[in-house]
Amino acid sequence: MAQKNTLLTISEQTGYSVSTISRVLSGKAKTYRISRETETLIKEAAQRLNYQPNLIAQTLRTQKSNTVGLLIPEVDNPFFASLAGIIIGILHSRGYHVLLADSRESARDEVQELRMFMSRSVDGIICIPVSSTPDFHEHVSSQIPMVLIDRHFKKTSLSYVCTDNYAGSRMATEYLLDKGYKRILAIQGVPDSMPNKERVRGFVDAIGVHGVDYKIAGNAFSVENGNREILAAFSGGREYDAVFAFSATILLGAIDALRRLNLRPGKDVGIISYDNNGFLDFMDPAVTRVEQPLREAGKVAVDTLMEIIAARRAGHPDPASRQILIPPTLVVRGSC
Amino acid sequence: MAQKNTLLTISEQTGYSVSTISRVLSGKAKTYRISRETETLIKEAAQRLNYQPNLIAQTLRTQKSNTVGLLIPEVDNPFFASLAGIIIGILHSRGYHVLLADSRESARDEVQELRMFMSRSVDGIICIPVSSTPDFHEHVSSQIPMVLIDRHFKKTSLSYVCTDNYAGSRMATEYLLDKGYKRILAIQGVPDSMPNKERVRGFVDAIGVHGVDYKIAGNAFSVENGNREILAAFSGGREYDAVFAFSATILLGAIDALRRLNLRPGKDVGIISYDNNGFLDFMDPAVTRVEQPLREAGKVAVDTLMEIIAARRAGHPDPASRQILIPPTLVVRGSC
DNA sequence: AAAGCCTGCGCAAACGATTGTGCAAATTTG
DNA sequence: CAAATTTGCACAATCGTTTGCGCAGGCTTT
């Protein structure tokens, strides 16, 4: 029934000018001295015609879209998907729409998607960055409010909120060491990403103190990577008595490979992981792991973004760059 | 560096009119007889100025946004999230951007979000519907190409692609019956949703033939629901020897509750579930389940949408409504 | 009674692209 | 060589909003 009704339609129906209609419907009736009867008349017409403002035109004119661009490395990855879900939920509750894109762990695609966000006039951007140089991101941020989450750059003025991956990794490793494991294999994710680097650092530092055998292998937050690295590490005759998986996806691959090698995860080989997935409690055995406070991180990120947006709208300088590391927690179960 | 450069900027730099610039940059140089040298000159200028077309203006003018709206019931729910992830991946590979919204299982919110999609001039909509009446959806579909996925309406002309939930549920139930289970508890999800109704029907039909004890309880695809219904069903003294969880989230809640009651899932109580989650293979015990071919469903849905979009652009009538049920598969593990 | 002010609203210019049409100059045709 | 084309591009309208400014008519002020 209701077709594309524009301000013009209402104007023709009521006899008032398009500008008057616009002012009434955007709640600016008082400021522009529109009489009360005109106001209700117009509102009724709008109601009757089931008028819906064209958000595209609105955005073009006002340069604000009520939309936030969310850029994650991979939609397929359950960790990013779940973090994205959390952030989207928060953004919706704040009245923002969400454009979701993924960079497929590629710096080129990342640039392209960020450009796309800019040409779409998003009001802000939340980004899990992929590239290792902040240059382009700083440029984007100079045009559109942006905050990073989960990953960040070393030297940058960008605001970010991540969890303390160094602390988390160190905590996990020390737990393994306390348990008496002597030959530890860490399977990492994307090597250049900051969380991964920090986890490696935490792992090495923890090991360093105790001086046990260890190895760091792998290169992706994927099931295949976990699988491959276990097979490679255990088929060389050189075996490990504990495995530290840097993500749940890696973990699944690792467990699968171990079973294939007739090694019982949790018994023959100690297992510890990084991730929040609720399924970890129901696995065989339940997995001891480092959990990150994702919901809190998401909230802080969105809040920070909102503040930057508000500041720029008001013509103020950005709030001081907020660079936050939230401490993760060790959830002890029976896998090591 | 690169600021907001528009066609006007390039026009001023090159001396050519905005229209000429536009035609060159949108590849219509030949059709409008722009000379080759003018063309390269303009392209170089665009390059140099790092011109990015304003997608909002483009959309307003052309009425196409290269964007698809994706509406799911809940971002939090891992099943929807994973299906969304799959669809988003496919859409990206087809060159579409994605606006993601969730209806929070509320028909009101659903209408609102669909309206939002319309005022954003999305080129198409993929929707997991919540409401039980197709009226508004048919209306939307008359304005913007739309296909439903996962859930559908009984009597409707809308295209949809779902999996055959009746067959899947019946298959699972018959498997349980074959195994000799005599008192079966099914824990359902959102009762009004079509997949749920179909699963109930499949369950009941399968049971009907054999005439064993059964009960259907629950009302949400959530962990809490699984938990609650197990506690309710088993604390009444009346116990069941098998549980059919209609989703993995329900399953987790159920298993947790069973353990709390000192019942070993898979041994004391048979367990079967509906869902694809990769973790199900690593649980204790690995869960026998009905898996849905989500990737295929996603592909078919996107393809169908593309065809409708193409047809309407060409001024043709829509392709015949495509209402597809893809058969699911039973993945047998050790939980029953 | 002339000068000022308030009320209530319309005009028209943006925002940045696309596109039908028009019109000189250059070229071809007969 | 005049007429007919063709070439190469610019003008201006348009998509649907928002918003600065202006302007009648009525009312108040001194």
Side-chain angles (χ1 to χ4, degrees):
Chain A
M1 338 260 118
Q3 304 317 332
K4 320 210 75 175
N5 287 322
T6 72
L7 290 181
L8 210 247
T9 324
I10 305 187
S11 168
E12 285 162 349
Q13 293 266 328
T14 61
Y16 288 101
S17 78
V18 170
S19 19
T20 301
I21 316 274
S22 169
R23 298 200 243 248
V24 166
L25 295 183
S26 51
K28 307 218 175 75
K30 342 266 139 181
T31 24
Y32 284 95
R33 300 178 315 229
I34 313 293
S35 77
R36 189 154 289 288
E37 48 179 342
T38 305
E39 182 176 354
T40 62
L41 221 141
I42 291 181
K43 280 188 175 162
E44 280 169 15
Q47 197 78 39
R48 180 161 33 84
L49 294 173
N50 191 21
Y51 169 76
Q52 301 289 135
N54 181 318
L55 297 182
I56 294 293
Q58 216 163 253
T59 299
L60 178 60
R61 177 62 226 238
T62 62
Q63 311 284 23
K64 35 173 298 191
S65 56
N66 258 281
T67 304
V68 166
L70 178 57
L71 184 57
I72 65 182
E74 286 182 308
V75 268
D76 305 330
N77 187 307
F79 172 74
F80 297 132
S82 110
L83 180 51
I86 290 172
I87 296 174
I88 292 172
I90 300 174
L91 285 171
H92 280 168
S93 75
R94 299 279 216 286
Y96 278 89
H97 305 299
V98 175
L99 259 169
L100 181 59
D102 66 336
S103 53
R104 283 137 282 183
E105 291 281 10
S106 137
R108 294 183 66 87
D109 286 8
E110 177 171 75
V111 168
Q112 205 178 293
E113 299 295 351
L114 287 174
R115 283 231 174 84
M116 183 272 284
F117 283 159
M118 298 177 70
S119 23
R120 295 282 273 254
S121 312
V122 297
D123 294 344
I125 297 175
I126 293 183
C127 172
I128 305 181
V130 152
S131 76
S132 43
T133 67
D135 301 16
F136 187 72
H137 292 78
E138 308 246 2
H139 164 233
V140 172
S141 169
S142 76
Q143 317 255 111
I144 298 186
M146 168 158 82
V147 341
L148 309 181
I149 188 167
D150 185 52
R151 300 178 178 177
H152 67 282
F153 301 107
K154 246 189 287 235
K155 283 263 174 201
T156 177
S157 62
L158 294 168
S159 284
Y160 60 77
V161 31
C162 303
T163 64
D164 191 337
N165 286 289
Y166 175 81
S169 174
R170 178 151 192 166
M171 185 159 54
T173 310
E174 279 169 354
Y175 182 79
L176 282 180
L177 293 169
D178 281 358
K179 287 287 181 173
Y181 291 101
K182 297 297 182 202
R183 296 185 306 284
I184 306 182
L185 172 66
I187 309 183
Q188 66 177 346
V190 174
D192 286 343
S193 70
M194 189 58 76
N196 194 79
K197 286 198 273 192
E198 289 293 289
R199 288 178 202 176
V200 167
R201 202 163 62 83
F203 176 69
V204 171
D205 278 10
I207 295 279
V209 182
H210 295 70
V212 306
D213 268 8
Y214 74 95
K215 182 180 173 189
I216 299 170
N219 60 9
F221 290 112
S222 70
V223 176
E224 300 71 36
N225 181 46
N227 222 292
R228 183 183 338 118
E229 295 305 333
I230 289 290
L231 294 179
F234 280 73
S235 66
R238 164 162 191 63
E239 300 193 350
Y240 298 86
D241 59 5
V243 172
F244 180 6
F246 277 17
S247 81
T249 42
I250 293 175
L251 177 74
L252 288 196
I255 289 183
D256 187 46
L258 287 173
R259 289 202 177 138
R260 224 179 286 263
L261 295 170
N262 280 318
L263 293 168
R264 291 163 304 171
K267 301 212 67 174
D268 302 324
V269 180
I271 294 285
I272 198 164
S273 181
Y274 221 105
D275 223 306
N276 291 35
N277 200 304
F279 277 86
L280 292 172
D281 269 345
F282 296 90
M283 291 176 55
D284 175 21
V287 179
T288 297
R289 62 198 181 262
V290 180
E291 279 198 357
Q292 310 181 64
L294 296 184
R295 190 158 295 280
E296 188 188 343
K299 272 217 174 67
V300 175
V302 171
D303 284 342
T304 306
L305 187 66
M306 300 292 114
E307 287 180 32
I308 304 181
I309 293 178
R312 295 211 186 163
R313 291 243 167 92
H316 299 155
D318 285 9
S321 173
R322 197 172 296 163
Q323 310 191 325
I324 300 175
L325 290 187
I326 307 183
T329 61
L330 186 69
V331 176
V332 176
R333 292 295 182 265
S335 65
C336 57
Chain B
M1 333 266 117
Q3 303 317 333
K4 320 209 76 179
N5 286 322
T6 73
L7 290 183
L8 210 249
T9 324
I10 306 188
S11 168
E12 286 163 348
Q13 292 266 328
T14 62
Y16 288 100
S17 79
V18 169
S19 20
T20 301
I21 317 272
S22 168
R23 298 201 241 248
V24 166
L25 295 183
S26 52
K28 307 216 175 76
K30 341 268 140 179
T31 23
Y32 282 96
R33 301 181 313 229
I34 311 293
S35 77
R36 190 154 287 290
E37 49 177 341
T38 306
E39 184 176 353
T40 61
L41 220 142
I42 291 180
K43 279 186 177 162
E44 282 170 14
Q47 198 76 40
R48 178 159 35 84
L49 295 173
N50 191 20
Y51 170 76
Q52 300 291 133
N54 182 318
L55 297 181
I56 293 294
Q58 216 164 249
T59 299
L60 178 60
R61 175 62 224 241
T62 63
Q63 310 284 24
K64 35 173 299 193
S65 57
N66 258 281
T67 304
V68 165
L70 177 57
L71 185 57
I72 65 180
E74 285 183 310
V75 269
D76 305 329
N77 186 307
F79 172 74
F80 297 131
S82 109
L83 180 52
I86 290 172
I87 296 174
I88 292 172
I90 300 174
L91 285 171
H92 280 169
S93 76
R94 298 279 215 285
Y96 279 88
H97 306 299
V98 175
L99 260 168
L100 180 60
D102 68 334
S103 53
R104 280 137 284 183
E105 292 281 8
S106 139
R108 294 183 67 85
D109 286 7
E110 178 171 73
V111 167
Q112 205 177 293
E113 299 294 352
L114 287 175
R115 283 230 173 85
M116 183 272 284
F117 283 159
M118 300 177 67
S119 24
R120 295 282 273 252
S121 311
V122 297
D123 294 343
I125 297 175
I126 294 183
C127 172
I128 304 180
V130 152
S131 76
S132 44
T133 67
D135 301 15
F136 186 72
H137 292 78
E138 309 245 2
H139 164 234
V140 172
S141 168
S142 77
Q143 316 255 112
I144 297 186
M146 168 158 81
V147 342
L148 308 181
I149 188 166
D150 184 55
R151 300 179 178 177
H152 66 281
F153 302 108
K154 247 189 287 233
K155 285 263 176 204
T156 177
S157 62
L158 294 168
S159 285
Y160 59 77
V161 31
C162 303
T163 64
D164 190 339
N165 287 289
Y166 175 81
S169 175
R170 179 151 188 167
M171 187 160 51
T173 311
E174 279 169 354
Y175 181 81
L176 282 180
L177 294 169
D178 282 358
K179 286 287 180 176
Y181 291 100
K182 298 297 182 201
R183 296 185 309 283
I184 306 181
L185 172 66
I187 310 182
Q188 66 177 346
V190 176
D192 286 342
S193 70
M194 189 58 73
N196 194 79
K197 285 197 274 192
E198 289 293 289
R199 289 179 199 174
V200 167
R201 202 163 62 82
F203 176 71
V204 172
D205 278 12
I207 295 277
V209 181
H210 295 71
V212 307
D213 268 8
Y214 74 96
K215 183 181 175 187
I216 298 169
N219 59 9
F221 290 111
S222 70
V223 176
E224 300 70 39
N225 181 44
N227 220 297
R228 183 184 337 117
E229 293 306 333
I230 288 290
L231 294 178
F234 281 74
S235 67
R238 166 165 190 60
E239 299 194 352
Y240 298 86
D241 59 5
V243 171
F244 181 6
F246 277 17
S247 80
T249 41
I250 293 174
L251 176 74
L252 288 196
I255 289 184
D256 187 48
L258 287 174
R259 290 203 175 136
R260 225 179 287 261
L261 296 170
N262 280 319
L263 293 169
R264 291 164 303 171
K267 302 211 68 173
D268 303 324
V269 181
I271 294 287
I272 198 165
S273 181
Y274 220 105
D275 223 304
N276 291 33
N277 200 305
F279 278 86
L280 293 172
D281 270 346
F282 296 89
M283 292 177 53
D284 175 21
V287 180
T288 297
R289 62 198 181 261
V290 179
E291 278 197 356
Q292 310 183 63
L294 296 184
R295 191 158 294 278
E296 188 188 343
K299 272 216 174 67
V300 175
V302 171
D303 284 341
T304 306
L305 187 66
M306 300 292 113
E307 286 180 33
I308 305 180
I309 292 178
R312 294 209 185 165
R313 290 242 167 94
H316 300 153
D318 285 9
S321 172
R322 195 170 298 164
Q323 309 192 326
I324 299 176
L325 289 187
I326 306 183
T329 60
L330 186 69
V331 176
V332 176
R333 292 294 182 265
S335 64
C336 58

